[in-house]
Amino acid sequence: NAGVTQTPKFQVLKTGQSMTLQCAQDMNHNSMYWYRQDPGMGLRLIYYSASEGTTDKGEVPNGYNVSRLNKREFSLRLESAAPSQTSVYFCASSESGTGEHEQYFGPGTRLTVT
Amino acid sequence: GEDVEQSLFLSVREGDSSVINCTYTDSSSTYLYWYKQEPGAGLQLLTYIFSNMDMKQDQRLTVLLNKKDKHLSLRIADTQTGDSAIYFCAERTGGYQKVTFGTGTKLQVIP
């Protein structure tokens, strides 16, 4: 199993450009998440999807949109990139129902907006 | 609201014990987690503790939970250079998607 995969690994954008970050998981998990990681701020939740067909805002959703394309794939779109969106982006997935719900993380996308 | 705090940096000598501390504010936490992030990688679950426990041991790892003070700690015995990483404390409150991560503690192990 590949687990959680993300593309691209690195990206440089100019202010105002758009792009989509792709994420896929092969663990048949219902729940998927997008986080951003900034120095000294830990991980902050951007959006999550509790199940196929549903998405909800997290702590920092402004400037982002998401699509839960199917059970495997959850994409994050920046419509008009800003320097404040320079960050490392992580996708994660987890089971639902009872239990400790370990989140499985992808390797991250390092995005720089100039 | 939820807030999870950790010190940013810890340096220990190889072979010593490391203790990484975390405080949280939400008393309705159900699970508390420790995740490890190695350079250039995503987070990986190290261990977790259910809120009705006060201690959990797993090989070199010991987790202590003090619910009264809302304090969580991770002790790594016989710390090795391979333990150098960033360690994140996290708490789950309410639904399974509601996980709040701390700022992370960077552990440096000196040979």
Side-chain angles (χ1 to χ4, degrees):
Chain A
N1 288 350
V4 180
T5 56
Q6 292 183 237
T7 55
K9 284 190 166 42
F10 301 93
Q11 183 72 49
V12 179
L13 292 178
K14 292 188 189 308
T15 297
Q17 288 185 317
S18 62
M19 78 162 295
T20 300
L21 281 66
Q22 306 286 354
C23 173
Q25 52 92 9
D26 61 3
M27 295 172 282
N28 202 36
H29 286 163
N30 282 320
S31 302
M32 297 186 73
Y33 315 82
W34 276 105
Y35 294 92
R36 59 178 288 173
Q37 183 180 22
D38 301 292
M41 302 194 74
L43 268 72
R44 291 182 293 169
L45 183 65
I46 305 171
Y47 270 93
Y48 65 92
S49 170
S51 61
E52 186 180 351
T54 68
T55 61
D56 285 285
K57 293 178 182 178
E59 185 185 349
V60 288
N62 290 347
Y64 306 96
N65 284 301
V66 289
S67 295
R68 183 75 183 264
L69 304 167
N70 47 55
K71 193 171 186 179
R72 288 188 66 247
E73 297 171 290
F74 189 37
S75 62
L76 178 73
R77 182 157 178 86
L78 286 71
E79 290 292 352
S80 178
S84 60
Q85 294 178 304
T86 292
S87 188
V88 182
Y89 292 85
F90 288 100
C91 177
S93 70
S94 72
E95 293 177 350
S96 54
T98 58
E100 77 277 8
H101 298 144
E102 173 182 358
Q103 292 193 12
Y104 294 81
F105 284 80
T109 294
R110 192 171 295 272
L111 175 68
T112 302
V113 183
T114 60
Chain B
E2 307 85 9
D3 199 13
V4 181
E5 295 191 356
Q6 305 175 237
S7 53
L8 290 180
F9 192 74
L10 176 67
S11 180
V12 299
R13 294 211 171 271
E14 190 175 16
D16 287 351
S17 292
S18 309
V19 179
I20 303 172
N21 294 302
C22 169
T23 57
Y24 59 96
T25 56
D26 197 323
S27 57
S28 66
S29 298
T30 53
Y31 286 93
L32 294 121
Y33 309 87
W34 284 104
Y35 280 83
K36 178 182 180 183
Q37 183 183 31
E38 297 188 353
L43 280 69
Q44 198 165 15
L45 183 68
L46 262 186
T47 187
Y48 67 92
I49 188 166
F50 191 52
S51 58
N52 69 354
M53 298 167 65
D54 50 22
M55 187 179 98
K56 181 178 181 181
Q57 189 145 4
D58 184 1
Q59 298 183 330
R60 291 191 298 123
L61 305 178
T62 304
V63 178
L64 294 178
L65 175 61
N66 180 329
K67 285 189 288 295
K68 176 175 164 290
D69 294 338
K70 299 192 185 70
H71 183 266
L72 182 74
S73 67
L74 173 70
R75 179 176 179 270
I76 305 173
D78 186 25
T79 311
Q80 303 298 307
T81 54
D83 295 323
S84 293
I86 301 176
Y87 291 81
F88 289 90
C89 167
E91 63 168 345
R92 185 172 115 209
T93 57
Y96 51 85
Q97 67 275 12
K98 188 76 172 154
V99 175
T100 303
F101 287 85
T103 52
T105 299
K106 185 170 185 177
L107 176 64
Q108 180 188 46
V109 182
I110 303 164

